[in-house]
Amino acid sequence: MVTLTSQFSGQNRPGVPPRLPTPPTGWPIGSYATYEEAQRAVDFLADGDFTVQDVTIVGVDLMLVERVTGRLSWGRVLGTGAASGAWFGLFVGVLLSLFNSSPGASAGPILVGLTIGVVFGLVFAAVGYGSTRGKRDFQSASQLVAGRYDVLCQPRSAERGRDLLAKLAMRPVGPKDSKD
């Protein structure tokens, strides 16, 4: 019997993450309050010649955290729009100047690109901010955070993984494990 697999077959290959969202499998071998602790545990397993391809870190009790980083004003929005437009215009201008065959006219495309970039950056920033009509006068950064992080392992290696992580739990945090 010949088994054919393709990217559409739904069969997962070892060491390759599934293509579609798939619930994690395995037995729990550790649970940690922070992602950094779970990462430290998997790193410890890797240092102990453990088959880390059998391990999955799973965030449980997910929440979206939006941290407000500042207040928006017309001046800030237009300044940011002009700056990003200037960078893009400068990039385009430099590209055009590289292909310019006229001697001594290499600054022209750069200045034109820079000017047009600033104008378009201002216009797009003003339209975008004006369309909110004051309903979002702040900027923020979002993160997906879990309440805890479980380390799961395939059953064939779970017992050894639990034993190694028990040794890690008894070990004091050393210089390699701590962040200064």
Side-chain angles (χ1 to χ4, degrees):
M1 178 176 177
V2 176
T3 303
L4 298 175
T5 61
S6 74
Q7 61 183 2
F8 306 108
S9 70
Q11 292 180 350
N12 295 326
R13 296 181 309 216
V16 177
R19 293 185 186 273
L20 296 174
T22 307
T25 60
W27 293 352
I29 60 173
S31 188
Y32 302 93
T34 66
Y35 179 76
E36 185 178 25
E37 292 171 346
Q39 196 176 21
R40 177 177 172 247
V42 174
D43 185 49
F44 182 78
L45 292 173
D47 291 344
D49 291 328
F50 187 79
T51 311
V52 291
Q53 294 87 338
D54 288 348
V55 175
T56 304
I57 298 174
V58 179
V60 180
D61 296 331
L62 296 180
M63 58 189 117
L64 179 67
V65 178
E66 183 177 14
R67 291 185 172 85
V68 176
T69 58
R71 188 178 190 294
L72 284 181
S73 64
W74 275 105
R76 188 172 195 164
V77 167
L78 294 177
T80 304
S84 67
W87 277 114
F88 183 72
L90 182 65
F91 173 71
V92 171
V94 168
L95 283 179
L96 290 175
S97 70
L98 291 175
F99 298 107
N100 188 4
S101 60
S102 303
S106 61
I110 294 174
L111 292 175
V112 169
L114 186 64
T115 304
I116 292 174
V118 167
V119 170
F120 275 102
L122 284 169
V123 169
F124 285 123
V127 168
Y129 184 61
S131 68
T132 65
R133 298 183 185 193
K135 291 182 182 175
R136 188 172 167 95
D137 285 337
F138 63 93
Q139 62 187 41
S140 63
S142 296
Q143 278 184 313
L144 194 59
V145 182
R148 76 172 192 273
Y149 297 87
D150 291 340
V151 177
L152 304 182
C153 184
Q154 293 304 311
R156 64 181 167 262
S157 308
E159 187 176 344
R160 181 168 177 256
R162 252 190 234 114
D163 291 343
L164 283 170
L165 292 182
K167 291 177 186 175
L168 174 64
M170 292 185 283
R171 204 174 93 178
V173 176
K176 179 183 175 190
D177 300 326
S178 66
K179 301 287 182 209
D180 293 325

